[in-house]
Amino acid sequence: MIPLPTLYYFLCYAWNRLPEPAVLLASEATAFERPLGLLAQVLLYATRRLLRAGLPRTFETRHAELTSLRGRVELAPTLGRGLLGQGRAICTFDELSAASPLHRLIAQTLGVLRRAAALPPALRRELHQVGQQFPAGLHDATLPPPTAATFRELRRQRPDSQAAFLLHICELVWLTALPEPAADGRRRFTDFRRDEVLMARIFEQFTRNFFRREQRRYRVFAETIAWQAEAPQPTDLALLPTMLTDTTLEAPDRKIILDTKYYTAALRPRYDRQRLIAPHLYQLYAYLQNQRPAPGQALEGILLYPAATQDVDVRYTLGGHPVRVVTLNLHQPWPGIAADLLRLVE
């Protein structure tokens, strides 16, 4: 299980935000056993910053029955209800308001965390106090919980860095919320560190964004690799699976394909012996064999695992390219983790 301070660094890099020392201090002052407390602290800090700057106002589309015309008159419902004879009409109009969908989501997330059984009472009081600073109506407990479509729609609006960070926090809170509240009305949440699929995505994003921010030698990106293949029917090539790297680091003289694997171990027992995980090695080998490096550019591959049960650091030459399979110790202090990552690409 990743220690919570390290998990905070993971989330910040994965979501393109630098870690805040104040959040680390607040989290260390309260010994949380599960990530929910950390998420609550991060959300509190980011929301307070948003409120201090003033909630940005945006135009929201509203539908209302009015005595004076405004915006677009909805004729069908107005005539159907006989409102014209009463000097009224149903109108659709845009109104400048701080009650945006994102602000509604933040207030709703603060509210559900306030009722979380696993959080200490003092933290729940803070969540309640901050939630009360949002406009009336945004923290309505009867609102339906957000869905995957809610988050997709908010991402389509291309939020700025701060808003995107808040959106990520809220999404992770709702992803870990159990479907039904407890009998006492308090929600319960899972420990998302046990979700290998979710943590694999966070580990991949963390690693790629760490190298984007912390070194200047390489261009860092996720790369789609074309198959070096031919077929009698060109349309058959479209049936080949997509090869998309987790992280590619490219310099004029060197290119590294780095694949992250969030598994409990880098080795698996087979016929009473420990061996590397075959599909992971095959995948990296396929990436290397279908690459076309630039002239004078050395090509190599790295498989990176978290060190859970044992440390591994082995090197091979496969298909003429250097390949390294290595684990990263996530239980050491953050400076050691950062230094180990940077040494991988020296």
Side-chain angles (χ1 to χ4, degrees):
M1 298 287 276
I2 299 179
L4 292 184
T6 301
L7 182 63
Y8 175 57
Y9 282 100
F10 262 51
L11 297 178
C12 285
Y13 278 98
W15 299 338
N16 279 314
R17 295 286 288 186
L18 289 176
E20 299 279 1
V23 176
L24 286 169
L25 289 173
S27 300
E28 290 169 0
T30 306
F32 298 117
E33 295 182 1
R34 296 186 177 183
L36 186 65
L38 174 64
L39 289 179
Q41 287 282 14
V42 174
L43 182 60
L44 273 174
Y45 189 86
T47 304
R48 284 188 178 121
R49 171 176 285 182
L50 178 70
L51 291 167
R52 281 197 301 269
L55 292 179
R57 297 166 69 84
T58 57
F59 282 101
E60 295 294 312
T61 300
R62 291 192 56 199
H63 306 276
E65 184 180 310
L66 305 175
T67 56
S68 59
L69 298 183
R70 185 177 178 187
R72 185 179 70 249
V73 177
E74 302 293 345
L75 285 177
T78 298
L79 295 174
R81 293 167 56 182
L83 295 176
L84 287 181
Q86 305 171 33
R88 306 178 69 83
I90 296 175
C91 300
T92 299
F93 55 94
D94 291 333
E95 185 175 67
L96 196 60
S97 169
S100 71
L102 177 61
H103 299 157
R104 186 175 295 109
L105 173 66
I106 295 168
Q108 192 177 6
T109 306
L110 289 167
V112 78
L113 285 174
R114 180 176 62 83
R115 298 186 294 276
L119 295 181
L123 183 54
R124 293 206 301 269
R125 283 195 297 271
E126 286 188 69
L127 292 162
H128 176 69
Q129 291 165 3
V130 171
Q132 292 302 307
Q133 297 178 45
F134 282 83
L138 287 190
H139 34 75
D140 184 356
T142 64
L143 288 172
T147 64
T150 306
F151 294 103
R152 281 197 302 270
E153 178 58 32
L154 286 170
R155 276 193 289 270
R156 266 197 292 268
Q157 297 174 12
R158 297 185 178 275
D160 60 25
S161 175
Q162 178 176 263
F165 185 67
L166 282 160
L167 180 58
H168 280 300
I169 300 168
C170 294
E171 184 173 25
L172 191 50
V173 169
W174 287 100
L175 277 174
T176 58
L178 293 176
E180 296 295 334
D184 58 3
R186 295 181 180 179
R187 282 250 184 194
R188 298 189 181 276
F189 296 79
T190 60
D191 187 337
F192 65 86
R193 291 176 297 178
R194 300 181 186 278
D195 186 333
E196 286 193 355
V197 175
L198 174 61
M199 288 303 301
R201 187 167 71 246
I202 292 173
F203 188 36
E204 173 191 332
Q205 294 169 342
F206 154 76
T207 305
R208 184 166 56 245
N209 288 337
F210 174 86
F211 286 118
R212 279 176 177 159
R213 283 185 173 270
E214 302 300 337
Q215 58 78 42
R216 293 293 177 266
R217 179 182 176 189
Y218 301 95
R219 183 169 70 97
V220 180
F221 56 104
E223 177 185 19
T224 300
I225 300 174
W227 287 89
Q228 304 302 307
E230 298 178 354
Q233 298 296 326
T235 54
D236 293 346
L237 295 174
L239 301 177
L240 291 170
T242 300
M243 290 191 290
L244 179 65
T245 66
D246 292 346
T247 303
T248 295
L249 299 99
E250 187 172 38
D253 63 333
R254 189 181 183 192
K255 187 171 187 177
I256 304 170
I257 296 176
L258 192 154
D259 236 29
T260 53
K261 301 297 181 185
Y262 193 84
Y263 277 66
T264 54
L267 302 176
R268 282 181 179 169
R270 184 171 176 81
Y271 303 123
D272 298 325
R273 294 184 59 185
Q274 294 289 318
R275 296 184 185 273
L276 295 171
I277 301 173
H280 300 172
L281 206 56
Y282 296 157
Q283 181 185 34
L284 183 60
Y285 183 75
Y287 288 171
L288 294 170
Q289 292 303 109
N290 286 276
Q291 272 283 354
R292 288 179 175 174
Q297 191 179 58
L299 178 63
E300 61 190 88
I302 297 175
L303 274 177
L304 180 65
Y305 295 84
T309 57
Q310 60 191 130
D311 295 327
V312 174
D313 191 353
V314 293
R315 299 169 189 259
Y316 304 96
T317 299
L318 300 179
H321 304 296
V323 170
R324 184 179 181 186
V325 182
V326 61
T327 53
L328 178 66
N329 179 10
L330 300 180
H331 286 268
Q332 61 180 316
W334 170 251
I337 296 173
D340 286 350
L341 284 171
L342 292 174
R343 275 194 291 269
L344 284 178
V345 299
E346 286 179 349

